[in-house]
Amino acid sequence: YNYNDFLLILNNQIALYKSTGQIFNLVSFKLDPGAQIKGLLSVNQLQNAVRQSTNKKDKICAIDNKVIVLLVRGNMKSVVDLMSNVHNNLPSQDENYLHAIQDYISIFNTEIDEKTENAEMMMEYILSAETSQTNAYQPINKFIG
């Protein structure tokens, strides 16, 4: 989805959370520009791996070097499953390639809570996470071994 459509969907999901308590997660996959420079992985390839790894009901938005996934029925298990599936859907399953690329992909997961007011606030939190919080984005190899 484009950014504005994604915000609309996200606002609807926040409204659903406020009325039903249904938890969801936003998971951001960030690709280090070095991966593209070295020809290891492009943002489009990462987006394709993410798309192949999600359910139909989950929503995806690419912004700059990030691919953001709205996990409609989020929990830690679905976040870990998503990371594992993305890893399995990368362009190559060659062990050397996977070892080389995992240093260039990092992940930031956030779960909806009562403090969240709207989609803009939640997206700002995700998009500013790498600058405002130490170690907000974690290397994918911390979760997949």
Side-chain angles (χ1 to χ4, degrees):
Y1 290 92
N2 72 39
Y3 185 72
N4 290 332
D5 290 347
F6 192 76
L7 283 179
L8 190 62
I9 293 165
L10 186 54
N11 267 324
N12 289 338
Q13 200 65 39
I14 291 168
L16 183 66
Y17 164 76
K18 289 185 178 190
S19 65
T20 67
Q22 181 179 312
I23 302 288
F24 67 87
N25 291 66
L26 273 183
V27 181
S28 176
F29 291 84
K30 183 177 76 169
L31 184 63
D32 185 297
Q36 294 190 103
I37 293 166
K38 292 183 176 176
L40 292 170
L41 187 70
S42 71
V43 173
N44 278 347
Q45 288 174 308
L46 178 59
Q47 191 174 355
N48 285 337
V50 170
R51 190 177 298 117
Q52 292 169 356
S53 304
T54 56
N55 295 317
K56 289 259 188 272
K57 63 184 179 293
D58 299 324
K59 310 301 179 210
I60 303 169
C61 178
I63 302 167
D64 300 325
N65 64 333
K66 295 176 189 72
V67 179
I68 300 169
V69 181
L70 166 59
L71 287 177
V72 174
R73 298 203 188 284
N75 57 43
M76 273 320 289
K77 184 188 181 321
S78 57
V79 171
V80 171
D81 288 349
L82 174 64
M83 288 187 277
S84 177
N85 290 338
V86 167
H87 191 258
N88 293 334
N89 285 318
L90 288 170
S92 170
Q93 288 302 301
D94 177 74
E95 214 168 295
N96 292 330
Y97 172 79
L98 291 175
H99 187 70
I101 196 62
Q102 66 188 8
D103 293 334
Y104 293 98
I105 301 172
S106 50
I107 296 170
F108 179 62
N109 170 48
T110 187
E111 188 175 276
I112 181 77
D113 62 28
E114 307 80 44
K115 292 177 282 194
T116 306
E117 291 174 29
N118 56 39
E120 290 80 3
M121 180 180 162
M122 205 165 183
M123 288 300 287
E124 181 59 35
Y125 180 66
I126 283 215
L127 296 174
S128 67
E130 63 192 304
T131 53
S132 66
Q133 303 158 31
T134 11
N135 301 326
Y137 274 87
Q138 298 290 316
I140 195 169
N141 58 1
K142 274 191 150 182
F143 306 97
I144 296 155

